């Protein structure tokens, strides 16, 4: 989402764009998405939103994907607040699929269902307060 590319996305009329961001803070996001730069991602999103405003368009409509892991579960509600600050109106809370041997099963938040349940409940309340649409993975239906 560097500025020049953001302008091209707007000029092309892209309808929507989904961004994967797995933490509400620099430390958490960068520990999950290795070699990422949280501050640069946030700055680029802000720049894209400003370009859209200047162009008088809502497109592309942005959404966030948030893959829950043990280390980011406590930040789910703050992530919704971050989405609101960035004027991102759609957030997908996605479950960690740990069936692959490359994924550390101990990071699955279902290992601590009560913490996950409280975090999801808090996130839904924050989403309602700020008018952010939140989709929570059906894998968590039994928790809320």
């Amino acid at each position: 989402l560097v500025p020049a590319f953001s302008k091209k996305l707007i000029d092309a009329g892209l309808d929507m764009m989904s961004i994967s961001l797995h933490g509400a803070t620099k430390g958490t996001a960068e520990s999950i998405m290795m070699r990422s730069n949280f501050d640069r991602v946030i700055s680029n999103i802000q720049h894209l939103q400003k370009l859209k405003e200047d162009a008088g368009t809502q497109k592309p409509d942005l959404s966030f994907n948030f893959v829950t892991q043990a280390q980011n579960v406590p930040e789910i509600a703050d992530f919704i607040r971050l989405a609101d600050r960035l004027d991102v109106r759609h957030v997908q809370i996605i479950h960690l699929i740990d069936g692959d041997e490359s994924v550390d099963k101990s990071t699955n938040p279902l290992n601590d269902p009560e913490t996950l349940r409280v975090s999801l409940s808090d996130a839904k309340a924050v989403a309602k307060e700020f008018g952010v649409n939140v989709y929570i993975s059906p894998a968590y239906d039994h928790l809320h």
Side-chain angles (χ1 to χ4, degrees), residues 98-143:
D98 64 3
D100 187 290
E101 63 187 43
S102 67
V103 176
D104 179 359
K105 290 177 181 11
S106 71
T107 63
N108 190 322
L110 287 172
N111 292 328
D112 184 359
E114 183 57 21
T115 298
L116 180 58
R117 186 193 64 72
V118 169
S119 291
L120 292 174
S121 177
D122 292 348
K124 288 192 300 186
V126 169
K128 184 175 181 179
E129 176 184 351
F130 290 105
V132 174
N133 301 309
V134 175
Y135 166 82
I136 298 175
S137 171
Y140 300 147
D141 281 350
H142 66 286
L143 297 171

Side-chain angles (χ1 to χ4, degrees), residues 18 25 43 54 65 87 91-93 95-96 99 107 125 131-132 134 138-139:
S18 184
T25 63
S43 177
D54 292 349
N65 290 325
D87 199 27
V91 175
Q92 287 79 234
I93 307 296
H95 68 284
L96 176 69
T107 63
V132 174
V134 175

